Every structure is written in structure tokens, then in C-alpha cells.
Amino acid sequence: QKEVEQDPGPLSVPEGAIVSLNCTYSNSAFQYFMWYRQYSRKGPELLMYTYSSGNKEDGRFTAQVDKSSKYISLFIRDSQPSDSATYLCAMAPRGSQGNLIFGKGTKLSVKP
Amino acid sequence: NAGVTQTPKFQVLKTGQSMTLQCAQDMNHNSMYWYRQDPGMGLRLIYYSASEGTTDKGEVPNGYNVSRLNKREFSLRLESAAPSQTSVYFCASSYRVLLEAFFGQGTRLTVV
């Protein structure tokens, strides 16, 4: 079993929809959880960063971490065509010196 | 402010040839990373440098060497390129390990 599992999609939604993106993980030592957005032929850019459990909101984006279920989610409200990209989850254990473990990414398409 | 700059953007190598991928950041970050991204595999860490003067292996270091030339620059060298090293290579940097990592635009390498 991979340490981080992420459904690759593709996921297609109409503009204005609420999008839910998810990752599961197996390593209970993971403490740092991140979501990156990657546009085609570009480098990833950090969207959300969470330490340990809980929710974090930033504009239309909400990140949730459920450590008891080893499950993290990213919600996008009022999705826009400009949100069309690949979304990567990433995580690392406390004390890690830099080795982020990435999911394979979910490709999202928001149709006008 | 350029952020993370990678050169070259594209490269085609013949099997057995060597080359160095260059990365420079202008954000005064302490930590730098090299990742490769392959279809269906996600981002995988090759090497990282937690601070100037230190380098450590990541998940997939075989066939690569790195040099942290100074605080700004972190290069990745392929001594004898193999077709399995065909990939998109990303350099990233962060102020400290596990804090927000900024990625470059990538180098698309093809080994024939």
C-alpha cells in the first residue's frame, strides 16, 4: 500500500459547484499536511498548509484533516474555470528534514 | 522577484551523456529540493539540502548527484543518463524544511 493515496480523476464539474478532493494515508506519524495546485506545464504552488488536525479556511478553499481516519480533504466553493488544474496533496511526519510525500494528484476540470 | 529559476527548460540527451540541471532562488531560503515528476507516479524527492553545506538523499537518489554551491544555488547532475531518467524535474526552496515550498517551472528532460 502506498503511503499516500489520491484518486487521479479526472474530475469534471460545472462552474459554481462545490468540489471535494481527498487523500488517504497510512503513516500515523504524519503531522504536516499540504495541498498544492499545479497548472499544466507549470510548477506546483502551495494552496493550503495545516499542522496536525482540524480545519483551515482561505477564501473559497477549506482544508480538513481527520487524523483518526487518516483522511484529508480540500473543498473548493463556487468553483471557477480558473480552478481547472491538478491538485496534489502532500504530507510529512514531525521531525522530517524535508521529504514530503506527495499523492499522485487529481485532475480537475471546471466547465463554464 | 524571480523566485526559483531552473535552467534549462528543455533538454534531450543521448544515453550515457552527462548534464547538470541548475537551480537558483532569490528568496534567501535555507532549504532546497530536487523532485522528479512522472505520469502515474507523482512527485518524488531525489535529493534535498536542509541548509547550506548539507545534502541528503530523498526517495529516488540513484543515478544523481547534487551540489549546494551556496545558499542560492542547488544543482542536480546526471553522470550517465539513462532512458529511465526521462522526466520533468522540479527544483523547490523553502525558508525552513516543511514550511511553504516554492517550485520552479521545471526542466523537461528526455533521454533517448
Side-chain angles (χ1 to χ4, degrees):
Chain A
Q1 180 189 7
K2 286 274 294 178
E3 279 194 291
V4 179
E5 299 279 1
Q6 185 176 9
D7 188 335
L11 181 62
S12 183
V13 301
E15 183 175 355
I18 296 174
V19 176
S20 173
L21 304 166
N22 311 294
C23 288
T24 59
Y25 62 95
S26 57
N27 189 343
S28 57
F30 285 151
Q31 294 277 359
Y32 298 90
F33 303 95
M34 302 162 203
W35 285 95
Y36 281 83
R37 177 175 62 195
Q38 186 175 22
Y39 291 114
S40 181
R41 304 182 83 82
K42 300 289 187 184
E45 57 178 329
L46 184 68
L47 274 179
M48 303 287 283
Y49 181 106
T50 308
Y51 175 72
S52 194
S53 288
N55 295 356
K56 190 171 185 178
E57 188 173 323
D58 184 2
R60 296 185 296 111
F61 298 90
T62 299
Q64 288 185 351
V65 175
D66 182 348
K67 293 189 72 181
S68 62
S69 302
K70 297 191 182 69
Y71 189 88
I72 69 170
S73 301
L74 178 70
F75 297 96
I76 307 174
R77 291 184 298 279
D78 186 25
S79 56
Q80 302 295 309
S82 58
D83 295 327
S84 297
T86 296
Y87 290 80
L88 305 161
C89 63
M91 47 197 82
R94 185 178 180 183
S96 169
Q97 288 300 300
N99 194 3
L100 277 178
I101 308 299
F102 280 85
K104 293 180 182 179
T106 300
K107 188 170 185 179
L108 172 67
S109 178
V110 181
K111 304 293 187 184
Chain B
N1 192 341
V4 179
T5 303
Q6 292 182 234
T7 55
K9 289 186 170 49
F10 301 93
Q11 184 71 48
V12 178
L13 286 179
K14 294 182 178 178
T15 297
Q17 286 186 317
S18 62
M19 79 162 294
T20 300
L21 281 64
Q22 306 286 355
C23 175
Q25 53 90 9
D26 62 4
M27 295 174 282
N28 199 35
H29 285 170
N30 295 303
S31 303
M32 297 186 74
Y33 316 84
W34 276 104
Y35 288 89
R36 60 178 288 174
Q37 187 173 38
D38 302 292
M41 298 295 292
L43 278 159
R44 292 180 293 170
L45 185 66
I46 304 171
Y47 271 93
Y48 65 97
S49 171
S51 60
E52 187 179 356
T54 69
T55 60
D56 285 285
K57 296 178 180 179
E59 182 183 354
V60 288
N62 290 346
Y64 305 95
N65 285 301
V66 291
S67 295
R68 182 75 183 266
L69 304 169
N70 48 55
K71 190 172 185 179
R72 290 186 64 247
E73 298 172 286
F74 189 37
S75 63
L76 178 72
R77 183 161 178 83
L78 286 70
E79 290 291 353
S80 179
S84 60
Q85 294 178 305
T86 294
S87 187
V88 181
Y89 290 85
F90 287 102
C91 177
S93 71
S94 63
Y95 182 67
R96 280 193 293 117
V97 291
L98 298 178
L99 291 185
E100 180 177 4
F102 291 82
F103 282 77
Q105 294 299 292
T107 295
R108 295 181 179 274
L109 175 67
T110 302
V111 183
V112 298

